[in-house]
């Protein structure tokens, strides 16, 4: 069986856009669920809904793979599973090392989805001498002193960093120097890597902040009220009051000022815009 060192996915050489590559795992997850239910074919509309994209975008994405559904029949589920798995490089064995076996690193080590998706956890590595030799998910933790040897002996090209932020860059530098060319970074910091090294960052706090922004905007939109514009009743015009503006007890509305609500926020057509946005 081939290892991660002997082959790179063909997506770049075939000119598949990065946005399409990012959606392929979504399609594969939906298709795998259909396959497990023994569904033989699926329409673009059904698959797009299951993957959370629109059907036109799905059909465009699949055209890059050279896959076109049959009119009136749809896409062959098993063939698409194979096609996407091959394009993503999941038909081979990818040895992975996880560095930093705290709570997050241990949870990643125990994740059962790696093996079924073409990834093999080759080693667990931690800087704490007290962790050396302790089994996590059935794998003995090894000390960071052995990092370079582990990567060389196992042909590792993918590293997962789950260390504290202060240690992440040093670990990254060692991984890259040892030959790792793809890194999944869970540490809350931005890594600097040379050309030819791919980094994917997973930051749960940023994702939560983005969700908080959308929740705030939805709440602001819910508080808006349509109020009559002075002198415009004859034409049926209405105005939208800011969330902070409440109708007077007499039924008349305060004049619109064009300013936002208190606290340094600026009111726009989409509701309150927070003064600080996540990077």
């Amino acid at each position: 069986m081939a290892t991660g060192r002997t082959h790179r996915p063909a997506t770049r050489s075939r000119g598949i856009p990065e946005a399409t590559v990012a959606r392929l795992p979504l399609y594969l997850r939906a298709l795998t669920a259909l396959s497990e239910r023994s569904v033989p074919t699926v329409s673009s509309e059904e698959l797009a809904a299951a993957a959370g994209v629109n059907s036109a975008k799905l059909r465009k994405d699949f055209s890059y793979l050279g896959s076109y559904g049959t009119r009136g029949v749809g896409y062959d589920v098993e063939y698409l599973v194979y096609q996407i798995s091959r394009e993503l490089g999941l038909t081979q064995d990818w040895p992975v090392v996880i560095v930093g076996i705290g709570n997050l690193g241990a949870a990643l080590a125990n994740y059962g989805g790696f093996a079924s998706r073409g990834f093999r956890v080759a080693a667990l590595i931690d800087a704490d001498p007290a962790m050396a030799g302790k089994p996590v998910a059935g794998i003995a933790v090894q000390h960071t002193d052995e990092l370079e040897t582990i990567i060389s002996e196992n042909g590792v090209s993918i590293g997962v960093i789950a260390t504290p932020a202060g240690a992440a860059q040093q670990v990254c530098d060692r991984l890259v120097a040892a030959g790792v060319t793809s890194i999944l970074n869970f540490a809350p910091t931005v890594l600097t890597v040379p050309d030819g090294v791919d980094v994917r960052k997973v930051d749960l706090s940023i994702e939560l902040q983005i969700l908080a922004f959308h929740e705030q905007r939805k709440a602001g939109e819910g508080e808006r009220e349509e109020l009559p514009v002075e002198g415009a009743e004859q034409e049926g015009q209405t105005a939208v009051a800011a969330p902070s503006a409440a109708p007077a007890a007499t039924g008349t509305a305060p004049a619109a000022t064009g300013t936002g609500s208190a606290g340094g926020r600026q009111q726009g057509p989409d509701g309150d815009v927070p003064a600080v946005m996540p990077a």
Side-chain angles (χ1 to χ4, degrees), residues 44-45 54-64 67 75:
S44 59
E45 289 78 11
N54 65 65
S55 57
K57 186 174 294 184
L58 177 143
R59 288 191 291 269
K60 180 66 173 178
D61 289 341
F62 284 0
S63 71
Y64 290 110
S67 179
Y75 294 95

Side-chain angles (χ1 to χ4, degrees), residues 24-105:
L24 292 182
L26 303 180
Y27 302 140
L28 182 59
R29 180 174 60 189
L31 287 163
T32 300
L34 293 171
S35 176
E36 291 173 348
R37 301 204 311 267
S38 299
V39 176
T41 58
V42 62
S43 70
S44 59
E45 289 78 11
E46 292 169 333
L47 183 54
V53 303
N54 65 65
S55 57
K57 186 174 294 184
L58 177 143
R59 288 191 291 269
K60 180 66 173 178
D61 289 341
F62 284 0
S63 71
Y64 290 110
L65 307 180
S67 179
Y68 299 89
T70 303
R71 184 177 296 276
V73 177
Y75 294 95
D76 183 286
V77 170
E78 292 298 332
Y79 179 64
L80 266 185
V81 167
Y82 167 74
Q83 233 184 342
I84 295 176
S85 296
R86 182 186 62 181
E87 200 64 50
L88 290 173
L90 304 182
T91 56
Q92 57 188 308
D93 175 49
W94 292 98
V96 175
V97 295
I98 301 176
V99 185
I101 313 302
N103 292 333
L104 177 57

Side-chain angles (χ1 to χ4, degrees), residues 19 35 73-74 148-149 171 185 190 206 239:
S35 176
V73 177
E148 287 79 8
T149 300
V171 169
N185 177 33
V190 175
I206 286 180

Side-chain angles (χ1 to χ4, degrees), residues 193-232:
V193 296
D195 291 340
V197 176
D198 296 311
V199 176
R200 298 287 295 181
K201 185 173 180 357
V202 181
D203 193 321
L204 300 181
S205 64
I206 286 180
E207 299 302 323
L208 286 171
Q209 289 175 54
I210 293 171
L211 288 176
F213 164 73
H214 289 296
E215 284 301 310
Q216 174 180 258
R217 188 174 66 174
K218 285 184 286 187
E221 290 173 347
E223 292 174 4
R224 292 180 173 202
E225 297 179 16
E226 286 191 351
L227 301 172
V229 176
E230 184 178 356

Side-chain angles (χ1 to χ4, degrees), residues 114 155 258 272:
F114 284 130
D272 287 346

Side-chain angles (χ1 to χ4, degrees), residues 100-163:
I101 313 302
N103 292 333
L104 177 57
L108 293 171
N110 279 284
Y111 174 56
F114 284 130
S116 63
R117 288 166 173 81
F119 302 95
R120 171 175 56 86
V121 179
L124 306 177
I125 303 173
D126 197 273
D128 185 359
M131 288 290 296
K134 288 187 176 181
V136 175
I139 303 173
V141 177
Q142 297 173 266
H143 193 265
T144 49
D145 288 347
E146 303 176 67
L147 185 148
E148 287 79 8
T149 300
I150 292 168
I151 291 173
S152 176
E153 291 181 349
N154 290 276
V156 175
S157 60
I158 300 176
V160 178
I161 297 178
T163 66

